[in-house]
Amino acid sequence: DSTNTNTKKNKTKLETIPEEEQPIQLTNITNFYYLSLIRDSTAAWSIHGLWPQTNAHNYPSYCQQVTFNLKLLDTILDKLEKYWYSQGNTLSLDEKFWKHEYEKHGSCVYTPMTELEYFQNTINLYEKALALDLPQTFYNPETQKCLIPVNHKLEFILPSI
């Protein structure tokens, strides 16, 4: 029955980020993104993902069926392998990681974008975040996570001073 199949496909899973892992107070902000970065053993930063958030503690996942196609990323493959790699850092493991991130988070973006745009926008945000030294501001040493908030226009949401 196609009606039942569509209902299952369109059910959005809502997941939670514990409060202690929040980088700054985002109590009144809804429907934004986190640029999630990972600090590796050399103190360099790599991309974990661009994650839509419904609020500071909850995020949607697997919102719609998307098909990951590595060939669509050929033009940015060098940057993906440099900035957004798996722990094994091999193309086959990286591809599984990118597929997972795109299906789980890229399927829920607030700003309409293609697969290539999802990854390119994330790389652009990563490069800007490093240039602005934002990981130092948003890194939580207790959780070892770096979650940088980003609005629908793909601009950073910076803490009020």
Side-chain angles (χ1 to χ4, degrees):
D1 178 35
S2 63
T3 307
N4 190 23
T5 303
N6 288 337
T7 303
K8 286 181 182 176
K9 285 181 190 173
N10 292 330
K11 281 197 175 181
T12 300
K13 187 175 177 187
L14 197 60
E15 299 189 33
T16 301
I17 296 177
E19 188 168 342
E20 62 273 6
E21 295 182 9
Q22 301 306 310
I24 59 171
Q25 290 300 321
L26 296 171
T27 52
N28 297 325
I29 299 174
T30 58
N31 299 334
F32 63 100
Y33 300 97
Y34 273 137
L35 173 64
S36 176
L37 304 182
I38 299 171
R39 182 180 235 159
D40 67 24
S41 59
T42 64
W45 295 99
S46 66
I47 299 170
H48 188 171
L50 182 65
W51 302 342
Q53 297 288 132
T54 53
N55 59 44
H57 305 290
N58 298 294
Y59 62 94
S61 61
Y62 303 102
C63 297
Q64 59 186 330
Q65 188 168 4
V66 294
T67 302
F68 178 81
N69 182 350
L70 184 62
K71 288 182 176 35
L72 297 176
L73 305 177
D74 280 349
T75 58
I76 61 168
L77 198 54
D78 57 334
K79 285 191 175 186
L80 279 170
E81 290 185 288
K82 183 177 179 181
Y83 301 144
W84 197 338
Y85 46 84
S86 65
Q87 283 187 320
N89 201 11
T90 64
L91 184 56
S92 63
L93 290 175
D94 292 347
E95 182 179 358
K96 287 178 185 174
F97 181 37
W98 301 328
K99 180 180 189 288
H100 164 79
E101 288 298 307
Y102 185 60
E103 290 175 349
K104 183 174 182 178
H105 303 289
S107 66
C108 299
V109 294
Y110 300 115
T111 312
M113 58 183 94
T114 65
E115 176 184 330
L116 176 61
E117 290 168 333
Y118 173 76
F119 287 97
Q120 182 64 65
N121 287 333
T122 305
I123 288 170
N124 292 345
L125 286 166
Y126 168 81
E127 291 174 334
K128 287 177 192 172
L130 292 186
L132 295 169
D133 202 25
L134 293 181
Q136 298 309 316
T137 302
F138 291 95
Y139 180 67
N140 183 332
E142 291 177 20
T143 63
Q144 298 185 341
K145 293 188 179 190
C146 182
L147 300 173
I148 304 172
V150 177
N151 67 21
H152 283 227
K153 295 179 184 177
L154 302 177
E155 302 165 332
F156 297 114
I157 302 169
L158 300 176
S160 301
I161 298 174

